[in-house]
Amino acid sequence: MSSAVELPPPGPRGIPPLFARLVDDSALFPPSEATMREALEKHLETRAGEHAGMLGVFLCQASRLPEMITELIKIRPAEPLPLSLIIDTGLGGVPKAISIVESRNELLSLRMVEMPAPSDVDEVWLERVSEFVPEDVVRVVEPRRGVGWLDGVRKVIEHGSWPKIRCGGLSSENFPSIDDVADFLSVVSSYPGASFKATNSLQRAVRHTDKATGFEHHGFLNLLVASARCLCGGDVREALASTDGEVLAGEVSSFSDPAAAAVRSLFTSYASVSFTEPIADLKGLGLL
């Protein structure tokens, strides 16, 4: 069983604990077109800025580690970069990738390793994940949605890793339905101390339709409210379906400190290609 995540303290500029370290930086991933240098410089600029307390780890593919290290040597960051390593080289490539990161601990601080699960998540594969990833590094595994995928979510949790849910992408198939997300939350919250991470297409706080694609995007504020309701027996599907930002903002504003801590122990963070959009939305709703 994965242990509960300690809620991060308020950020240096007074970020509310509910939003502390909520947004992981996925500027290297589509639809972003940022170069490695641009993504790193922007991340470090944000980490030193007014809303740094809301920023989590920097996501980088294992296949791009040498490129990232080369740029960091040029940039010379004041502190090691908090890193989530995204495994795009197969499970067998994990030991080498981690070895590379650990050999440059003056530049990188490995916090998390994320990887897609095979179509059939089994104990042997999960055990190899545990063997390859150091105990002090969070393991995040993304089961593929489809028939029986919630069984994969259960196996991931029972093996001590965080399950990840993909909330969107470049095609409609990447967007889970409200029922999919609600079922996922129900499974994760049924395990005391279990945590999950979300990714993709969650730049905006509130559920909306993208005018360019017509895709219905989930909102990260919806996910926070849905997580809270999941823990207290509320209407999770209504929270996920809501497009009323003021109502959602009012609900999260009413969270007690223990409720906020419980929500963030369940919903730890999400990956976003943009940091400015989440900040702008929360400011617009009076939450920052």
Side-chain angles (χ1 to χ4, degrees), residues 89-246:
T89 53
L91 184 59
V94 172
K96 180 179 179 181
I98 290 178
S99 177
I100 291 172
V101 173
E102 292 181 338
S103 71
R104 304 310 304 251
N105 58 13
E106 79 282 8
L107 297 174
L108 298 167
S109 175
L110 184 61
R111 306 289 179 82
M112 189 176 290
V113 173
E114 306 180 43
M115 65 194 78
S119 55
D120 181 18
V121 187
D122 60 28
E123 292 297 324
V124 175
W125 187 86
L126 287 167
E127 190 57 39
R128 290 187 70 198
V129 173
S130 296
E131 290 174 359
F132 291 160
V133 180
E135 289 186 3
D136 61 345
V137 175
V138 175
R139 304 184 301 272
V140 181
V141 176
E142 180 186 347
R144 298 182 186 179
R145 274 191 303 113
V147 177
W149 78 291
L150 293 175
D151 289 335
V153 173
R154 293 184 183 93
K155 289 178 183 177
V156 169
I157 297 170
E158 289 166 1
H159 207 266
S161 298
W162 294 0
K164 178 165 72 173
I165 183 167
R166 185 168 297 273
C167 291
L170 301 180
S171 65
S172 59
E173 293 78 15
N174 294 130
F175 289 80
S177 67
I178 287 173
D179 284 343
D180 285 336
V181 179
D183 291 344
F184 174 87
L185 291 175
S186 178
V187 168
V188 181
S189 64
S190 69
Y191 288 85
S195 305
F196 77 90
K197 180 174 182 176
T199 190
N200 276 45
S201 303
L202 285 168
Q203 290 84 258
R204 304 299 302 273
V206 180
R207 183 177 182 85
H208 65 283
T209 301
D210 186 296
K211 294 180 180 179
T213 64
F215 297 156
E216 287 282 341
H217 285 244
H218 296 280
F220 68 84
L221 198 60
N222 297 77
L223 264 182
L224 287 167
V225 173
S227 296
R229 291 189 186 182
C230 204
L231 292 170
C232 67
D235 191 335
V236 173
R237 284 168 173 78
E238 182 194 42
L240 293 170
S242 176
T243 57
D244 193 327
E246 291 186 4

